[in-house]
Amino acid sequence: MDIHSIESNVKFPDMSFYNMEKPGEMALYIAHCDLYPFRSVIENNKIALDMIAEGYHQMAAEAREQGDFVTESWAMTSGSLHTSRVWMYTQYSLLLTMVSILEEAVNTLCRVHMNMKHLTKELKDIKGSGLERAAKYLKEVVEIKGFTADRQWEYITVIRDARNMVVHNGGRLVRDFEKFEKFGIDYREEDKQLYLDYKDIVKMYDAILEFIDRAFRLEP
């Protein structure tokens, strides 16, 4: 996967690699403007979380050496909370933001096609919601074939469904367990709580980027 980026620590797309006369590439550039920097958000969160975990570990060790069992107990408890909950909720937050960026990117693709081709029907005129409504608009109105035939489409919809489980069920799965297992999305057996780690978020991010890089370039 080629990332055509302006050289900097935080990645931004280089407009010279996009044909702005094509609706798909214009929408892709807009999507990359959001997604490229988001990778730095993912990485910076991991750095911060690792530093906090190490800080609690060092605090507990120093307190133990000094015989300060109150501070040691506080640091160990705080470290356990950080590992078991803060880390997980941070990954949930990254998932929510990432899927929101994806959905807005696909909606933008529809709007750019409508505006550049002077189409009369808008996305809001199509029944449904979310990714499926946009895919239906691209097929029926823009007449783009194969958007949902992309090899990543199924995984993309499962990522979206994982986001929905976080939003509506506190991260607990209530159905379709086999499709989450198919894509290696873990959950605790006892309460069906989604368990996401840094590597899961990176895998999802890469899949989304690969999907839009291919699907947005499809033409009628």
Side-chain angles (χ1 to χ4, degrees):
M1 177 174 56
D2 294 326
I3 294 182
H4 300 301
S5 173
I6 297 172
E7 290 301 321
S8 67
N9 291 330
V10 179
K11 300 298 182 184
F12 288 99
D14 186 336
M15 189 181 290
S16 65
F17 287 97
Y18 302 81
N19 183 350
M20 291 300 183
E21 294 182 359
K22 293 184 176 182
E25 294 211 23
M26 179 183 288
L28 185 61
Y29 171 75
I30 296 170
H32 282 168
C33 284
D34 289 330
L35 281 169
Y36 280 4
F38 189 72
R39 180 56 185 261
S40 294
V41 175
I42 296 172
E43 299 298 337
N44 288 342
N45 269 279
K46 183 180 187 302
I47 292 170
L49 290 170
D50 285 345
M51 289 179 64
I52 292 170
E54 180 60 23
Y56 283 131
H57 176 76
Q58 291 182 0
M59 188 180 298
E62 291 172 1
R64 188 180 307 114
E65 291 179 358
Q66 298 170 6
D68 184 353
F69 299 114
V70 173
T71 301
E72 178 188 2
S73 177
W74 176 85
M76 292 179 64
T77 301
S78 298
S80 297
L81 176 64
H82 176 77
T83 301
S84 64
R85 289 297 175 184
V86 175
W87 185 281
M88 182 176 67
Y89 290 149
T90 300
Q91 309 315 309
Y92 281 4
S93 298
L94 292 170
L95 174 63
L96 297 184
T97 303
M98 187 163 56
V99 174
S100 294
I101 292 173
L102 168 64
E103 290 182 333
E104 176 57 21
V106 177
N107 290 343
T108 297
L109 176 64
C110 296
R111 290 193 294 268
V112 173
H113 273 288
M114 184 195 72
N115 292 331
M116 292 185 71
K117 296 179 179 179
H118 308 290
L119 303 174
T120 57
K121 184 172 284 189
E122 299 182 37
L123 179 60
K124 67 180 182 180
D125 298 326
I126 302 297
K127 291 184 179 179
S129 62
L131 296 175
E132 285 77 9
R133 180 178 68 165
K136 187 176 180 182
Y137 181 89
L138 293 169
K139 179 180 179 180
E140 296 182 359
V141 181
V142 185
E143 298 184 343
I144 287 178
K145 310 300 181 186
F147 190 79
T148 60
D150 185 274
R151 67 191 186 200
Q152 291 282 26
W153 174 255
E154 185 183 3
Y155 185 32
I156 294 299
T157 59
V158 172
I159 294 170
R160 185 273 317 276
D161 291 344
R163 185 281 306 270
N164 290 346
M165 293 298 101
V166 172
V167 172
H168 300 295
N169 300 300
R172 289 179 174 81
L173 306 184
V174 295
R175 62 183 180 277
D176 301 328
F177 303 108
E178 65 282 353
K179 72 181 181 183
F180 293 98
E181 294 169 359
K182 177 180 178 179
F183 290 99
I185 300 176
D186 295 331
Y187 59 89
R188 288 199 302 256
E189 191 61 39
E190 59 269 24
D191 62 357
K192 304 302 188 272
Q193 178 87 39
L194 274 173
Y195 180 79
L196 299 177
D197 205 344
Y198 162 78
K199 66 180 185 301
D200 299 306
I201 297 299
V202 170
K203 180 182 176 183
M204 292 174 178
Y205 172 88
D206 288 343
I208 288 171
L209 205 56
E210 289 175 5
F211 168 71
I212 68 169
D213 280 351
R214 287 192 299 268
F216 278 40
R217 289 191 169 95
L218 295 173
E219 297 183 6

